[in-house]
Amino acid sequence: MMRLLSLLAGILLLAYPLAVYLGLTHLGSSALLSILLVTFALRLLPRLSPVREWLLLGRLLACVGLVLTALSAIFSAQHWLLYYPVAVSVALLCLFGWSLTQPMSLVERLARLQDPELPPAGVRYTRTVTKVWCGFFVLNGGLAVATVWYGDLALWSLYNGLVSYLLMGLLMGGEYLVRLRVKRSFTS
């Protein structure tokens, strides 16, 4: 049951920009704040992950979400809710960037879950991919901040709820295609 609740909260957080938009334009802020408080609290429930940092990141972001929701409630200022996607980009940038200071980058650790015998060229490739993701998170976070400061809720929702996901998907898809070519060069 706990896993199901945690999974449900994760799905709700993927739809966070849409939920905030609909909540602010149709539900009213008190209903939205209640939903968000429950959702972020559910993300604090115990879960399993093969990468411990993902768990820590999820809990950190749940705490940030709770703080932003509380600030919004305390000060009756809905703009606090708009900073959550910025916090997600900053947290992911920190995680990926921090992993570059470690012997094994985060992308390498994820790659080794599928291929424990990653060749040295693969290690270099995963380090480069980690740097590309860092660049993406800088760009995405900057654009997320710009949508908050611009002050148009519809634009904020469009970018953070659709465009950023499409850009992430394009990056994942492009990286997958490049990875296939790079893997072929390992075996040649």
Side-chain angles (χ1 to χ4, degrees):
M1 183 62 161
M2 296 294 235
R3 285 183 108 183
L4 181 63
L5 288 173
S6 184
L7 179 65
L8 178 62
I11 291 168
L12 285 172
L13 287 177
L14 283 175
Y16 180 87
L18 178 62
V20 168
Y21 179 79
L22 292 175
L24 293 177
T25 58
H26 298 330
L27 283 179
S29 61
S30 56
L32 173 64
L33 294 174
S34 298
I35 291 167
L36 292 177
L37 284 172
V38 169
T39 301
F40 287 121
L42 287 173
R43 292 302 289 169
L44 293 172
L45 293 174
R47 357 186 263 282
L48 297 174
S49 173
V51 180
R52 187 175 69 88
E53 288 83 359
W54 286 126
L55 291 175
L56 296 174
L57 181 72
R59 290 206 171 94
L60 170 69
L61 288 171
C63 291
V64 168
L66 287 168
V67 167
L68 292 172
T69 304
L71 288 170
S72 181
I74 292 166
F75 295 111
S76 296
Q78 299 158 345
H79 74 277
W80 289 105
L81 300 175
L82 307 182
Y83 283 98
Y84 185 72
V86 177
V88 171
S89 283
V90 169
L92 287 168
L93 171 62
C94 290
L95 177 61
F96 278 69
W98 168 81
S99 79
L100 288 170
T101 68
Q102 302 303 302
M104 198 181 303
S105 72
L106 184 61
V107 174
E108 179 183 347
R109 287 181 56 204
L110 293 170
R112 285 186 184 278
L113 292 174
Q114 289 183 327
D115 184 6
E117 300 301 320
L118 200 60
V123 171
R124 286 189 302 279
Y125 174 76
T126 58
R127 198 160 271 288
T128 300
V129 170
T130 304
K131 291 174 185 174
V132 169
W133 276 106
C134 287
F136 172 80
F137 294 129
V138 167
L139 175 68
N140 191 58
L143 290 171
V145 166
T147 63
V148 172
W149 291 348
Y150 188 70
D152 182 341
L153 183 60
L155 176 66
W156 175 87
S157 299
L158 177 66
Y159 179 76
N160 292 289
L162 178 65
V163 174
S164 67
Y165 290 136
L166 291 174
L167 292 173
M168 202 177 308
L170 283 171
L171 181 55
M172 285 181 192
E175 187 279 322
Y176 177 75
L177 294 174
V178 170
R179 184 179 348 137
L180 291 177
R181 289 180 81 187
V182 169
K183 274 184 160 181
R184 269 189 254 130
S185 72
F186 294 163
T187 56
S188 302

